[in-house]
Amino acid sequence: EADPLTFFEFGTALALWHFAQQGVQVAVLETGLGGRLDATNAVQSEVTAITRIGLDHTAVLGPTLEAIAGEKAGVFKPGARVVLARQPPKALPVLVRAAEAVGQRPLVAGPDFVLEGEPGAFRFAGGGRTIDRLSLPLAGPHQRENAETAIQAALLLEPTLADETLREGLARTVWPGRFEVVDRSPLTILEDRKSTRLN
């Protein structure tokens, strides 16, 4: 007798069914926890990206960055290109070896692609492409790293993507409730469903 589906597994299956019914051409799936045993890992992807790894969910993924990287790398598959955000030194070798084990040379933020400059005037360079005048409305250096990785993944998926399409997509990015500034007088920020008022 099969184990019953978890809520996340059921939700993932329902989402994939809905995407198929709607004729979705491209879907971006985010793993719920880890990667190797995640429900989304049942999908064969064309591009796989891993953002910066930290000591999260250690009770499930392991107590070290190396162990967590190994669990995250479980999403790598033959035939799917790999993009890696900037990583802690202990995590990067684990991810690179895992990608190479499935026949992929990963593209790594820093040596292979970069988003540089000042907010409102970022420039992306990588894979023979240079895209300037990029803006990102999300706050924090981690969001800049995420954007850097997302642009490279998008260009692997669709190499002919127009510069203006990337500019517009990045400029219109919103993440409600995650360090969202909703008022400046007084400064009011929504963060993870909690409101903090700074005077």
Side-chain angles (χ1 to χ4, degrees):
E1 182 178 319
D3 292 334
L5 291 177
T6 65
F7 178 79
F8 187 80
E9 289 166 342
F10 177 76
T12 300
L14 186 61
L16 295 174
W17 175 83
H18 180 69
F19 294 162
Q21 296 300 307
Q22 297 300 312
V24 170
Q25 298 295 308
V26 176
V28 177
L29 302 177
E30 180 182 7
T31 59
L33 178 66
R36 181 175 66 90
L37 299 176
D38 194 88
T40 59
N41 202 17
V43 176
Q44 175 62 46
S45 58
E46 293 184 40
V47 177
T48 301
I50 293 188
T51 55
R52 183 184 289 267
I53 289 174
L55 287 173
D56 297 318
H57 307 292
T58 54
V60 177
L61 302 180
T64 65
L65 289 171
E66 295 93 331
I68 294 169
E71 288 295 316
K72 299 272 188 179
V75 297
F76 298 159
K77 297 181 178 71
R81 300 291 306 275
V82 175
V83 180
L84 300 176
R86 298 167 191 271
Q87 298 293 338
K90 291 182 178 180
L92 184 59
V94 176
L95 296 170
V96 170
R97 282 194 302 270
E100 291 172 345
V102 295
Q104 295 297 319
R105 187 192 82 76
L107 295 178
V108 181
D112 295 318
F113 59 94
V114 64
L115 185 67
E116 55 194 4
E118 297 301 318
F122 288 129
R123 182 177 74 92
F124 175 87
R129 290 281 295 271
T130 300
I131 307 165
D132 60 6
R133 295 182 288 112
L134 293 165
S135 63
L136 178 64
L138 302 181
H142 64 294
Q143 297 295 5
R144 180 174 170 171
E145 289 182 4
N146 290 343
E148 179 178 64
T149 305
I151 292 169
Q152 181 59 75
L155 290 173
L156 281 182
L157 192 61
E158 184 51 68
T160 61
L161 204 58
D163 291 5
E164 193 52 45
T165 300
L166 283 164
R167 283 190 195 99
E168 183 179 347
L170 207 59
R172 293 174 58 186
T173 301
V174 294
W175 196 359
R178 295 306 302 265
F179 207 80
E180 179 186 5
V181 178
V182 293
D183 198 349
R184 296 203 174 271
S185 182
L187 180 59
T188 305
I189 299 170
L190 297 181
E191 169 59 24
D192 199 22
R193 298 189 202 100
K194 297 173 189 161
S195 179
T196 304
R197 202 172 276 271
L198 303 176
N199 293 319

